[in-house]
Amino acid sequence: MRLRLGILGAGHFGRFHALKAAKAPRFDLIGLHDADPARAALVAGEAGCPALSAEAVIAAADAVIVAAPTAFHHGLAHAALSAGKHVLVEKPIAATLEQADDLVALARAKGVVLQVGQLERFSGGMRALRAEGGLAARVGRPLYMEAIRIAPFRPRSLDVSVVLDLMIHDLDLALALAGSPLVGVDAVGSAVASPTIDIANARLRFGNGAVATVTASRVSLHMERRLRLFGDAGYLNLDHLKREMFWVRRGEGASLEQIPEHGLSQATWAESDSLEAEHASFAAACLDGAPIEADGAAGRAALDAALRVEAAVKASLMAAGAG
């Protein structure tokens, strides 16, 4: 079984989707659309598919990937879902919670797949973390998480803040790892090289008592992507860029003189293609009825967390100005 796939949006990331989908074993790329006809023609030529109107893409496809700017996510995804098509929409799921709720309800009513492009769930590091018993087997129940995601400045994705651009990946992971509702947010941040927030740090509190600190920057001189987890049974450090992870736990691993009765375990992983894994997951959900990784509800929760972080940053800036 194969899926007739269309792509709506052929910008920086839409192009990656198109090129990857053109070679995917379970996709037939039937066409793509972009608001810029010249861009659409260029990417369609690279991917070996026709450039079509948005309406034509939706009509011809079984499923669509929405990779347009965030402001257009709801309109394009709504049109595709209304036509009974499966949808993979890039993160954030929409610009507002009301729009997200509309998409979730519509997908449920139509009985189709709504998946959100929370790409970090498909990274080699997160797959390594989930392997062999997952997080519980390494640190037990998470008590504290620290995620850092910083990158050099690039003049794209500036239609949204760094919170919706980069931090939302780690907000989604923190929600998934905590397994508990978000009950409180404190945050600081600032615009540096764009009109929106370019650096931000947030402290999240969850209903089960877990806490997470999340830092994101898109104006740094180098890249850094790390995750630390403290649990009731151990400690774990994961470095996405070095592709290595180690954890300390009682009674397991190589013995540690400095921590009696505890041992050190390590794991590494080969470089992997997260986008390819995301496409395969989407195809499996659509064609095989497999569970949806990062479904509409998860996308909505990540958006809610991101908007709360943005609100907290703005409140902190106003308080600083008043002071």
Side-chain angles (χ1 to χ4, degrees):
M1 296 175 64
R2 296 175 65 85
L3 197 67
R4 292 176 298 170
L5 181 76
I7 295 178
L8 302 175
H12 178 79
F13 212 66
R15 175 177 176 268
F16 288 149
H17 275 295
L19 297 180
K20 192 66 61 177
K23 299 178 180 179
R26 305 190 76 183
F27 288 159
D28 289 320
L29 184 59
I30 57 87
L32 61 81
H33 168 76
D34 193 86
D36 180 351
R39 177 68 180 181
L42 173 65
V43 177
E46 290 182 300
C49 70
L52 304 170
S53 68
E55 294 78 11
V57 168
I58 292 172
D62 301 315
V64 300
I65 294 175
V66 176
T70 300
F72 301 98
H73 284 188
H74 175 259
L76 294 172
H78 187 279
L81 292 170
S82 296
K85 313 296 181 172
H86 305 295
V87 170
L88 168 58
V89 58
E90 266 303 331
K91 56 80 188 165
I93 183 174
T96 69
L97 294 179
E98 292 76 15
Q99 291 177 349
D101 289 336
D102 177 66
L103 296 181
V104 171
L106 184 55
R108 185 182 301 115
K110 292 291 184 177
V112 294
V113 170
L114 174 60
Q115 183 171 323
V116 183
Q118 298 291 166
L119 191 61
E120 195 59 60
R121 292 191 178 213
F122 299 93
S123 69
M126 295 313 297
R127 282 187 279 179
L129 182 60
R130 289 194 295 263
E132 299 177 3
L135 184 64
R138 295 180 171 91
V139 302
R141 182 176 70 84
L143 302 175
Y144 174 74
M145 295 169 271
E146 179 185 65
I148 297 175
R149 185 179 298 261
I150 63 176
F153 181 76
R154 295 183 178 89
R156 60 177 177 82
S157 299
L158 300 183
D159 59 314
V160 296
S161 73
V162 72
V163 178
L164 288 167
D165 179 21
L166 298 182
M167 184 183 280
I168 194 169
H169 287 296
D170 294 311
L171 295 175
D172 172 61
L173 294 182
L175 287 163
L177 293 172
S180 179
L182 181 62
V183 297
V185 176
D186 297 300
V188 293
S190 177
V192 177
S194 79
T196 60
I197 301 165
D198 293 313
I199 54 174
N201 173 271
R203 181 177 174 86
L204 315 177
R205 300 185 305 278
F206 298 93
N208 62 1
V211 173
T213 301
V214 185
T215 301
S217 168
R218 59 186 180 191
V219 289
S220 300
L221 298 180
H222 65 279
M223 292 187 68
E224 185 176 349
R225 290 175 57 201
R226 290 188 288 108
L227 175 67
R228 290 192 179 99
L229 290 157
F230 299 81
D232 58 7
Y235 160 71
L236 180 143
N237 184 90
L238 187 153
D239 191 314
H240 290 278
L241 298 183
K242 293 182 179 179
R243 297 194 293 276
E244 60 185 27
M245 173 175 67
F246 69 82
W247 62 98
V248 175
R249 185 179 172 97
R250 180 184 296 273
E252 296 180 11
S255 61
L256 293 169
E257 292 183 5
Q258 61 270 49
I259 310 179
E261 300 181 8
H262 286 69
L264 174 70
S265 301
Q266 301 181 68
T268 60
W269 55 91
E271 186 173 359
S272 60
D273 192 322
S274 302
L275 191 58
E276 183 178 288
E278 181 181 65
H279 282 187
S281 174
F282 182 52
C286 296
L287 296 172
D288 308 329
I292 305 169
E293 183 71 48
D295 61 9
R300 198 262 189 204
L303 174 62
D304 174 56
L307 294 178
R308 291 169 72 174
V309 169
E310 285 191 332
V313 169
K314 292 174 183 176
S316 71
L317 290 172
M318 290 181 63

